[in-house]
């Protein structure tokens, strides 16, 4: 079953560098139930300052170490929107409800 979903799923533990790259490149936060880009540290400080998270590096550290305020930091981030593969997906020849046969 893993062989079937392998091209579509990423699994394993992310490194600190990967988390940092994702947040700096594709990081958005939830402010007033809207998707807002992380453009300034003041946005993070205004919403997570009471938990001791005042900048992007503090946010990354909290996520990497699963610190005491991980839940608040994770809920503050908007889910990442990733792109599809550069050369596209292979043609889907068999529907799944026929068990791929």
């Amino acid at each position: 079953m893993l062989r079937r979903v392998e091209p579509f799923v990423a699994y394993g533990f992310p490194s600190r560098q990967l988390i940092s790259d994702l947040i700096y490149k594709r990081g958005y936060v939830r402010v007033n139930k809207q998707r807002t880009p992380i453009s300034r540290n003041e946005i993070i400080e205004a919403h997570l300052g009471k938990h001791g998270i005042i900048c992007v590096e503090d946010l990354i550290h909290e996520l990497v170490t699963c610190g005491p305020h991980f839940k608040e930091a994770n809920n503050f981030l908007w889910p990442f929107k990733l792109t599809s593969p550069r050369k596209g997906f292979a043609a889907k020849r068999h529907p799944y409800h026929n068990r791929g046969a």
Side-chain angles (χ1 to χ4, degrees):
M1 188 60 146
L2 282 179
R3 296 270 184 229
R4 257 190 197 167
V5 298
E6 191 171 19
F8 309 105
V9 178
Y11 50 90
F13 296 104
S15 66
R16 180 180 181 87
Q17 184 66 36
L18 179 65
I19 292 172
S20 177
D21 289 346
L22 277 172
I23 289 183
Y24 277 116
K25 185 175 180 182
R26 300 185 183 272
Y28 287 85
V29 294
R30 184 175 286 126
V31 177
N32 297 329
K33 298 182 181 179
Q34 294 181 341
R35 184 176 182 244
T36 308
I38 301 174
S39 57
R40 299 181 319 242
N41 285 333
E42 288 84 20
I43 296 171
I44 295 171
E45 186 176 7
H47 294 278
L48 296 176
K50 60 188 169 213
H51 302 296
I53 303 170
I54 59 172
C55 64
V56 179
E57 288 300 321
D58 289 343
L59 181 64
I60 293 169
H61 177 73
E62 192 72 24
L63 294 173
V64 170
T65 60
C66 293
H69 301 291
F70 174 80
K71 182 177 179 183
E72 292 84 2
N74 194 29
N75 288 339
F76 181 60
L77 286 174
W78 197 272
F80 296 113
K81 290 188 175 183
L82 302 176
T83 59
S84 61
R86 288 186 181 157
K87 294 186 179 182
F89 293 110
K92 182 178 170 186
R93 297 187 182 132
H94 305 290
Y96 185 74
H97 71 290
N98 290 342
R99 300 199 186 261

